Amino acid sequence: MDPFAFPPLAALLDAAYGALTGLSDLLTPIAGASAAALAVVLVTLLVRALLIPVGISQAKAEQTRARLAPKLRELQRRHKKNPERLQKEMMALYKAENTSPFAGMLPVLAQAPVVGILYTLFLRPEIAGHPNELLSHDLFGAPLGTSLVSALFGGTATPATFLVFGVLLAIMIAVAEVTRRVFRPTPVEGDDSPLNSPTMLRVMSSLHYLTAVFAAFVPLAAALYLTVTVVWTLVQRVILRRRFPLPTPAVSRAAVSGR
């Protein structure tokens, strides 16, 4: 079933198409054939700018969770044999601190529709019954509507495709590595939960690279959006971490001896 056959979603997609093509037309004298790509970059920057207050809330929530971590571990130790009581006490603690275990997830959820619309705009040959002119645009010769995986398996990959996707993926991988090093989770003394195990912490660190993997499967326009947004996210997290620093946890002896 096509969700964009539903009239409200079809109207939303057509409105997004009109806005993006209009912006692309305005940028054509500056960017030429890459005007649509530049439009995607500007849309990404606009979306992230609008989400700055949400990013601040996310940083505050992260700081609060770190501050509450010792209390949560104590609750887990005290009520580990009574899951129902543990859940009740944890929720009471979150309520008393005016936060929740899900605080800070809004930036990810808010961006999902944008990525979905961009994905759809550069995938469909027709939008609301008229030809999709966005598919005629490219970025330095690489079509915005083609993904790296589809180009490889469809035999349509060109040097421009490899070059553009290669640059974007390299940027995403570099950002993921910097993010992993700067925001690496540290094992905490006294926390014997599975999430605090070295294996799980390594798995959590490796999740930063998933965006680069995902970008290989989506149209170039969506990959461009992802590239700009991961760079923005890293810079924003560094700035906000300085503004809202986390309390220094007690590092586990295993982590110290392993250094």
Side-chain angles (χ1 to χ4, degrees):
M1 180 179 178
D2 181 8
F4 287 98
F6 187 52
L9 291 181
L12 176 62
L13 185 65
D14 192 33
Y17 173 80
L20 195 60
T21 52
L23 180 58
S24 177
D25 290 340
L26 290 175
L27 296 172
T28 297
I30 302 172
S34 298
L38 181 56
V40 169
V41 172
L42 294 180
V43 167
T44 308
L45 295 175
L46 175 61
V47 170
R48 292 314 309 253
L50 292 175
L51 289 175
I52 287 177
V54 180
I56 294 174
S57 298
Q58 184 182 35
K60 291 180 178 179
E62 188 177 6
Q63 186 184 54
T64 301
R65 285 195 300 268
R67 179 170 53 81
L68 294 180
K71 296 181 181 180
L72 291 172
R73 288 194 296 272
E74 176 59 24
L75 289 177
Q76 291 168 351
R77 184 193 64 79
R78 188 183 308 168
H79 304 294
K80 61 181 178 180
K81 294 183 179 180
N82 189 343
E84 185 176 344
R85 176 68 182 278
L86 173 61
Q87 185 68 20
K88 183 178 179 180
E89 293 291 339
M90 290 174 63
M91 295 311 296
L93 177 61
Y94 282 123
K95 184 177 181 181
E97 295 289 340
N98 195 28
T99 186
S100 80
F102 307 106
M105 295 181 62
L106 186 57
V108 176
L109 298 177
Q111 291 183 79
V114 180
V115 177
I117 290 175
L118 279 176
Y119 178 87
T120 305
L121 283 177
F122 287 92
L123 197 66
R124 291 170 172 264
E126 291 186 354
I127 302 292
H130 49 76
N132 186 353
E133 297 180 1
L134 291 174
L135 297 182
S136 63
H137 291 260
D138 60 65
L139 176 60
F140 302 121
L144 290 178
T146 300
S147 72
L148 179 60
V149 171
S150 65
L152 284 173
F153 287 94
T156 60
T158 65
T161 303
F162 288 119
L163 176 62
V164 172
F165 269 102
V167 170
L168 296 184
L169 293 177
I171 292 173
M172 281 186 270
I173 291 172
V175 169
E177 178 62 18
V178 173
T179 303
R180 184 187 69 83
R181 290 176 179 271
V182 174
F183 300 99
R184 177 182 298 171
T186 305
V188 178
E189 178 71 33
D191 186 355
D192 57 355
S193 66
L195 291 177
N196 193 53
S197 67
T199 300
M200 182 56 67
L201 292 177
R202 284 195 295 269
V203 170
M204 292 172 63
S205 293
S206 67
L207 294 179
H208 296 297
Y209 299 94
L210 283 181
T211 303
V213 176
F214 179 69
F217 290 85
V218 298
L220 176 56
L224 185 60
Y225 177 94
L226 293 173
T227 304
V228 176
T229 203
V230 296
V231 173
W232 178 292
T233 300
L234 173 59
V235 175
Q236 180 175 277
R237 284 191 69 184
V238 170
I239 294 173
L240 292 179
R241 178 60 61 86
R242 292 178 179 177
R243 176 66 179 82
F244 304 102
L246 303 185
T248 303
V251 181
S252 67
R253 295 187 183 91
V256 173
S257 62
R259 290 180 180 175

